[in-house]
């Protein structure tokens, strides 16, 4: 692979890296377990490329999510004086917090996001999957993203949070614009994201006001009611929590279903095996999370003291990026990691995180993936790409790894590409 600016690839990935990030990560692993970089916005830092170090880093209390806890008086990009207050709300999301603030927020969300709520949602997931597959079955060519994975993930999380149906498309478009702006890794991206952030904040305030006035059995109402030792979410915390849940609840699910389907199409023998042996679905979901997960790397961490990892000295305050997709393809952790094997065991992947920031919605995400992929494969075992493989376009973001579209023929009678 030609010489490249590694730090810039994580802020503004080149088309080559977007098309095949796994080759990029393989090159990084060959360079070493810890790689110094200079990020265009976040500054000097280090990449952790290997499975063992990523797992260790995710539970290391010396690596914190809030930069202000690593460097006194330091401000993250969203905390700087010139950043509008609307965007600073994003700094309050649970993912950006450390103990004890993180524990407080997580305890509150667990009061609302209960196993009973998840159990109640599983029949609705199956119902939504069937409804959407009935619709796509009538089309000669289907975009799996726009016609299936997006509406499934968006409608599910919207129903969970009590988002009115007429507001859902607005939310999806607005958050997509905001995420693209923030993922650009530069000041101009933040400026362009400002109007969208204002509209999103108004949307969240409308939703909170609606559920205060008309509480229901949705998650937003439960978050408003949630109380732990006399504590409650502030209005700003509610907004940031709802944003995190809406984003994580549909963006990652949408990306995973697209990535996983493409992985199965790339490995027709594994697709056929899953069709013939539906009892393998749980193992298949874990392997697809490892092989084609939707999250490229963890949220940035910062060293709160001088630390050493694999012989590399990382100074206090340094950025540390832990590469999930690299860890999940680590040759030292998996036999033939570039091969999809839906029977793989053991399978210690890190696609859903680890430690205190482990995905709060992991059980729901697994069930959604299980239902969608099993029904899709059993109903359309002969599905195939409707465009050449090299023509597929990926979203311009290494952190949230996914396709912009996935055109498919679902039946043998479809025209050839």
């Amino acid at each position: 692979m030609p010489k490249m600016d590694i730090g810039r690839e994580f802020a503004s990935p080149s088309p080559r890296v977007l098309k095949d990030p796994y080759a990029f990560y393989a090159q990084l692993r060959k360079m070493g377990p810890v790689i110094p970089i200079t990020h265009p916005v976040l500054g000097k830092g280090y990449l952790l490329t290997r499975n063992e170090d990523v797992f260790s880093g995710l539970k290391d209390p010396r690596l914190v999510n809030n930069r202000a806890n690593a460097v006194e008086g330091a401000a993250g990009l969203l905390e700087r004086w010139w950043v509008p207050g609307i965007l600073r709300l994003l700094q309050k999301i649970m993912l950006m917090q450390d103990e004890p603030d993180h524990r407080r927020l997580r305890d509150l969300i667990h009061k609302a996001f209960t196993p009973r709520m998840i159990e109640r949602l599983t029949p609705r997931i199956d119902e939504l999957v069937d409804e959407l597959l009935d619709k796509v079955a009538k089309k000669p060519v289907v975009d799996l993203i726009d016609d299936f994975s997006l509406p499934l993930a968006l409608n599910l999380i919207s129903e969970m949070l009590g988002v009115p149906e007429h507001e859902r498309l607005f939310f999806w478009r607005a958050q997509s614009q905001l995420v693209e702006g923030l993922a650009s890794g530069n000041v101009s991206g933040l400026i362009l994201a400002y109007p969208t952030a204002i509209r999103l904040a108004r949307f969240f305030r409308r939703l909170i006001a609606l559920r205060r006035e008309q509480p229901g059995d949705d998650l937003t109402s439960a978050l408003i009611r949630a109380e732990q030792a006399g504590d409650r979410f502030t209005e700003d915390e509610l907004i940031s929590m709802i944003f995190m849940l809406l984003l994580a609840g549909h963006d990652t699910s949408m990306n995973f279903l697209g990535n996983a389907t493409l992985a199965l199409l790339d490995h027709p023998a594994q697709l056929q095996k899953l069709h013939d042996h539906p009892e393998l679905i749980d193992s298949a979901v874990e392997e697809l999370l490892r092989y084609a997960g939707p999250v490229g790397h963890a949220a940035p961490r910062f060293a709160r003291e001088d630390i050493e990892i694999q012989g590399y000295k990382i100074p206090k305050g340094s950025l540390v990026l832990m590469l999930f997709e690299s860890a999940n393809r680590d040759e030292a952790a998996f036999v033939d990691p570039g091969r999809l094997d839906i029977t793989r065991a053991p399978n210690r992947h890190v696609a859903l995180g680890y430690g205190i920031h482990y995905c709060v919605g992991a059980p729901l995400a697994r069930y959604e993936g299980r239902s969608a992929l099993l029904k899709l494969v059993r109903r359309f075992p002969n599905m195939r790409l409707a465009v050449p493989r090299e023509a597929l376009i990926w979203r311009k973001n290494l952190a949230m790894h996914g396709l912009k579209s996935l055109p498919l023929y679902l039946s043998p009678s479809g025209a050839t590409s």
Side-chain angles (χ1 to χ4, degrees):
M1 186 176 289
K3 184 177 179 181
M4 66 178 71
D5 183 337
I6 296 173
R8 187 163 293 280
E9 290 290 352
F10 284 91
S12 182
S14 63
R16 180 179 64 253
V17 169
L18 286 172
K19 186 176 181 179
D20 188 5
Y22 302 106
F24 172 56
Y25 295 135
Q27 183 187 24
L28 296 182
R29 287 194 301 277
K30 288 180 181 178
M31 292 172 63
V34 181
I35 300 175
I37 65 165
T38 299
H39 191 282
V41 175
L42 299 174
K44 293 185 177 180
Y46 300 83
L47 304 176
L48 302 189
T49 67
R50 299 183 183 174
N51 186 278
E52 179 184 354
D53 300 317
V54 168
F55 268 104
S56 297
L58 288 171
K59 65 178 182 180
D60 192 332
R62 300 172 300 173
L63 294 175
V64 297
N65 288 49
N66 188 337
R67 189 165 181 253
N69 290 332
V71 180
E72 187 176 353
L77 179 60
L78 296 177
E79 294 173 320
R80 294 175 184 173
W81 66 268
W82 45 265
V83 174
I86 297 297
L87 289 175
R88 293 186 199 182
L89 284 177
L90 299 182
Q91 200 73 14
K92 296 182 182 294
I93 65 173
M94 189 170 68
L95 191 62
M96 306 289 284
Q97 303 304 313
D98 303 308
E99 306 294 29
D101 296 326
H102 173 268
R103 174 53 54 191
R104 169 183 165 267
L105 294 173
R106 198 170 182 100
D107 285 347
L108 283 168
I109 197 171
H110 276 308
K111 298 288 284 187
F113 203 77
T114 61
R116 182 181 177 186
M117 172 174 279
I118 294 172
E119 184 179 355
R120 179 172 55 82
L121 283 167
T122 54
R124 180 55 180 151
I125 294 174
D126 293 332
E127 184 180 28
L128 275 172
V129 169
D130 288 333
E131 288 175 2
L132 290 167
L133 291 181
D134 286 343
K135 290 180 181 179
V136 300
K138 300 172 184 177
K139 295 187 175 185
V141 178
V142 172
D143 183 345
L144 193 81
I145 305 300
D146 284 348
D147 296 330
F148 181 63
S149 62
L150 169 60
L152 172 62
L154 182 59
N155 281 304
L156 177 62
I157 194 62
S158 296
E159 289 183 14
M160 282 179 59
L161 284 160
V163 177
E165 191 168 352
H166 69 276
E167 297 263 34
R168 294 174 189 175
L169 188 57
F170 158 77
F171 160 72
W172 173 71
R173 287 174 175 164
Q175 72 82 29
S176 296
Q177 292 169 5
L178 181 63
V179 169
E180 290 293 333
L182 296 177
S184 67
N186 56 52
V187 173
S188 62
L190 279 180
I191 293 172
L192 292 173
Y194 178 50
T196 301
I198 292 176
R199 292 194 295 272
L200 268 176
R202 289 173 180 166
F203 161 73
F204 291 136
R205 293 190 195 280
R206 286 198 307 273
L207 177 60
I208 292 168
L210 175 65
R211 292 305 160 213
R212 287 192 194 279
E213 183 180 337
Q214 301 175 24
D217 59 359
D218 55 89
L219 187 52
T220 299
S221 298
L223 289 171
I224 292 169
R225 291 191 299 265
E227 187 168 7
Q228 182 79 14
D231 192 12
R232 288 182 181 273
F233 289 110
T234 66
E235 182 90 354
D236 285 353
E237 287 171 343
L238 273 173
I239 291 173
S240 62
M241 186 66 70
I242 293 169
F243 176 80
M244 183 190 75
L245 291 170
L246 280 167
L247 176 63
H250 94 276
D251 212 59
T252 52
S253 294
M254 176 184 72
N255 287 342
F256 172 62
L257 292 178
N259 296 356
T261 302
L262 180 61
L264 289 170
L265 292 171
D266 286 341
H267 298 80
Q270 295 297 300
L271 190 156
Q272 187 65 47
K273 181 180 287 189
L274 181 57
H275 175 267
D276 295 342
H277 299 280
E279 70 276 8
L280 294 176
I281 185 59
D282 289 333
S283 173
V285 166
E286 295 308 311
E287 173 67 347
L288 288 163
L289 281 167
R290 180 198 71 84
Y291 184 87
V295 180
H297 59 76
R301 303 299 206 270
F302 301 91
R304 71 190 319 164
E305 60 186 71
D306 293 344
I307 62 177
E308 185 174 305
I309 298 177
Q310 295 286 8
Y312 290 82
K313 294 181 179 179
I314 298 178
K316 177 180 178 180
S318 298
L319 163 74
V320 177
L321 279 182
M322 289 173 272
L323 306 184
F324 285 0
E325 289 190 308
S326 179
N328 287 339
R329 295 288 189 100
D330 184 359
E331 299 81 0
F334 301 97
V335 176
D336 197 2
R339 176 174 59 90
L340 182 72
D341 177 6
I342 65 170
T343 65
R344 186 182 296 272
N347 197 343
R348 191 171 182 252
H349 66 75
V350 70
L352 296 172
Y354 184 65
I356 67 170
H357 289 284
Y358 182 73
C359 176
V360 71
L364 191 63
R366 283 188 165 100
Y367 189 88
E368 186 177 347
R370 181 185 188 278
S371 177
L373 289 170
L374 185 58
K375 289 175 181 289
L376 179 69
V377 168
R378 295 185 72 178
R379 190 161 175 176
F380 305 109
N382 297 306
M383 61 181 172
R384 67 190 189 283
L385 287 174
V387 297
R389 176 68 165 76
E390 61 271 17
L392 294 174
I393 300 174
W394 295 84
R395 298 175 68 183
K396 296 179 180 180
N397 189 343
L398 281 184
M400 305 291 281
H401 180 211
L403 289 155
K404 283 192 172 183
S405 66
L406 184 58
L408 299 177
Y409 297 122
L410 294 181
S411 69
S413 59
T416 57
S417 59

